[in-house]
Amino acid sequence: GENVEQHPSTLSVQEGDSAVIKCTYSDSASNYFPWYKQELGKGPQLIIDIRSNVGEKKDQRIAVTLNKTAKHFSLHITETQPEDSAVYFCAVPGGGSYIPTFGRGTSLIVHP
Amino acid sequence: GAVVSQHPSWVICKSGTSVKIECRSLDFQATTMFWYRQFPKQSLMLMATSNEGSKATYEQGVEKDKFLINHASLTLSTLTVTSAHPEDSSFYICSADQLNSGSNYNEQFFGPGTRLTVL
């Protein structure tokens, strides 16, 4: 099956700083890479995703970059705000299945 | 966007009782729904994949007689935790698949989760 590693496990930044979370995966055939944001006591919400035919996708303060050769993709949040504080998960469908394997999650804390 | 609801949002029950959790796709039909459980500060653990009209596929280590899944329609799947015990206390989350016809990929949309506490 797919092996997904997510780093860091916790990330503490000051408001206005940028935050970067990275995930690596093992199945070179994987071609869809979503990122989810989970606030305390709630279900995960899809915030951005990228397909394998592009290297970068941006949506306002959020961007995702993909390096298929190195098999890693990263979530970039610029101008962080306290409301960005949450747990972020990457996910990768792979290993011959469309069912995603989730990373362990990154707890992002944005200090005002 | 696609919306998935869960009911109840939280439940407290006595040990030995059974608890049913409903998962509904509100504005789309989901051929496949998934059930996850999540312990504090941990990632989502897939329990089973549920397809409408057929038996659920359980992940290794998940007891099918303990966690009964019924996918009665394209918009409803239920998870019943039978004879619940304190170790079953967890956050249960469902998700539903929707095919993105534009890109031909399946996107997952998650419910808000159900907090189960077994006393």
Side-chain angles (χ1 to χ4, degrees):
Chain A
E2 182 72 83
N3 183 32
V4 179
E5 297 284 337
Q6 181 174 344
H7 297 282
S9 56
T10 60
L11 180 57
S12 184
V13 299
Q14 287 296 129
E15 182 177 1
D17 288 349
S18 295
V20 181
I21 304 169
K22 182 178 178 179
C23 275
T24 61
Y25 59 96
S26 58
D27 188 351
S28 57
S30 298
N31 51 22
Y32 172 59
F33 308 93
W35 283 96
Y36 296 91
K37 175 183 180 182
Q38 185 179 27
E39 297 177 340
L40 191 63
K42 297 183 179 179
Q45 294 294 312
L46 177 69
I47 56 171
I48 197 167
D49 57 21
I50 193 168
R51 319 293 179 184
S52 59
N53 57 344
V54 297
E56 182 175 0
K57 182 178 178 180
K58 192 173 182 180
D59 182 3
Q60 299 183 335
R61 295 187 298 109
I62 295 173
V64 55
T65 57
L66 171 65
N67 184 327
K68 283 219 71 178
T69 303
K71 289 187 283 188
H72 65 73
F73 60 109
S74 298
L75 175 69
H76 304 256
I77 305 175
T78 58
E79 301 172 38
T80 54
Q81 300 168 3
E83 51 265 37
D84 294 329
S85 297
V87 179
Y88 292 81
F89 292 97
C90 64
V92 184
S97 167
Y98 69 95
I99 300 172
T101 300
F102 285 84
R104 289 184 176 274
T106 296
S107 177
L108 173 64
I109 302 170
V110 181
H111 299 281
Chain B
V3 179
V4 176
S5 70
Q6 273 184 249
H7 179 81
S9 56
W10 60 271
V11 56
I12 301 172
C13 69
K14 292 182 178 180
S15 186
T17 60
S18 294
V19 175
K20 179 185 283 188
I21 303 170
E22 290 187 351
C23 177
R24 293 180 185 273
S25 57
L26 297 185
D27 50 0
F28 67 101
Q29 293 183 328
T31 307
T32 306
M33 290 184 171
F34 305 88
W35 286 97
Y36 298 83
R37 67 186 298 183
Q38 186 180 35
F39 292 106
K41 297 186 179 182
Q42 293 191 22
S43 189
L44 287 78
M45 184 192 81
L46 180 65
M47 300 175 66
T49 303
S50 170
N51 290 292
E52 185 264 340
S54 63
K55 292 183 178 180
T57 301
Y58 289 82
E59 295 298 301
Q60 192 173 9
V62 178
E63 300 176 56
K64 58 183 68 178
D65 294 330
K66 172 76 172 176
F67 299 99
L68 300 178
I69 292 172
N70 184 5
H71 197 147
S73 73
L74 288 173
T75 60
L76 173 64
S77 177
T78 60
L79 168 69
T80 301
V81 183
T82 62
S83 186
H85 288 93
E87 57 266 29
D88 298 324
S89 298
S90 188
F91 193 51
Y92 291 87
I93 307 170
C94 73
S95 71
D97 246 19
Q98 184 184 39
L99 177 65
N100 184 317
S101 57
S103 60
N104 202 33
Y105 285 95
N106 286 67
E107 296 183 12
Q108 271 199 326
F109 297 92
F110 287 85
T114 297
R115 173 75 58 194
L116 171 63
T117 302
V118 185
L119 303 176

